[in-house]
């Protein structure tokens, strides 16, 4: 994992990993920049690392901003993020990918009229289900949050592969 607090530190780390003959790389410590929406810094770090490692696989850790993900996808092989579950549970948001744009819809009872999704969750479940209408102590509320998180993960994946 390539770590750093500045572009110079990231590049120093990647050079050392290359010296050790590493063949697969991940960039860590980007969550702080992603959370602050410092798009240009994330792009600069990822693109500079890509130049040094050539065609070797590059995984990005903790990029939770979909707009940043859209901009760095030409440089990365894979990514992971906790944003799907955070949006579904803490922020009470459902993601929608429509006409190349990602929107987050806050409030589970605000299903847009033309909401369409091809994910397996949406084929069998209403991601706008109000979990508070479900009985306590049955686990149904938790399952609802998990299904919503899986839907959000699908949307983020779709953005990365579009």
């Amino acid at each position: 994992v390539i770590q750093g607090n500045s572009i110079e530190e990231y590049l120093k780390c990647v050079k050392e990993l290359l010296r050790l003959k590493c063949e697969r790389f991940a960039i860590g410590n980007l969550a702080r920049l992603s959370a602050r929406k410092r798009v240009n810094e994330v792009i600069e770090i990822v693109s500079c690392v890509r130049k040094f490692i050539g065609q070797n696989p590059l995984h990005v850790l903790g990029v939770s901003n979909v707009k940043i993900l859209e901009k760095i996808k030409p440089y990365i092989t894979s990514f992971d993020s906790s944003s799907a579950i955070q949006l579904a549970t803490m922020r009470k948001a459902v993601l929608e990918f429509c006409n190349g744009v990602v929107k987050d819809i806050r409030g589970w009872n605000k299903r847009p009229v033309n909401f369409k999704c091809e994910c397996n969750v949406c084929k069998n479940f209403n991601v706008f289900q109000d979990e508070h209408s479900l009985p306590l102590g049955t686990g149904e509320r938790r399952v609802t949050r998990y299904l919503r998180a899986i839907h959000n993960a699908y949307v983020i994946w779709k953005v990365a592969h579009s």
Side-chain angles (χ1 to χ4, degrees), residues 69-155:
L69 186 60
E70 288 176 312
K71 294 189 188 233
I72 64 172
K73 71 181 178 182
Y75 305 107
I76 64 174
T77 308
S78 58
F79 69 96
D80 65 60
S81 170
S82 62
S83 65
I85 198 159
Q86 288 177 354
L87 285 166
T89 58
M90 293 190 260
R91 298 185 190 152
K92 299 180 180 170
V94 172
L95 292 179
E96 179 181 29
F97 186 57
C98 184
N99 299 324
V101 177
V102 176
K103 296 184 236 174
D104 69 40
I105 302 157
R106 307 281 172 140
W108 298 320
N109 58 350
K110 297 181 180 174
R111 182 186 185 101
V113 176
N114 9 350
F115 180 82
K116 291 180 184 148
C117 180
E118 303 163 0
C119 80
N120 287 331
V121 171
C122 288
K123 288 177 184 174
N124 301 296
F125 178 78
N126 175 12
V127 292
F128 292 94
Q129 166 75 43
D130 178 8
E131 69 183 58
H132 299 292
S133 68
L134 300 169
L136 283 170
T138 63
E140 290 180 63
R141 291 180 179 200
R142 182 173 293 165
V143 169
T144 299
R145 288 189 295 268
Y146 288 153
L147 290 171
R148 196 174 291 120
I150 292 167
H151 160 81
N152 285 346
Y154 169 83
V155 172

Side-chain angles (χ1 to χ4, degrees), residues 19-38:
R19 188 184 71 72
L20 294 171
K21 309 250 187 259
C22 290
E23 297 176 351
R24 292 178 180 83
F25 300 89
I27 301 177
N29 211 21
L30 292 177
R32 64 187 169 77
L33 296 174
S34 179
R36 294 183 189 140
K37 297 184 170 100
R38 296 174 71 173

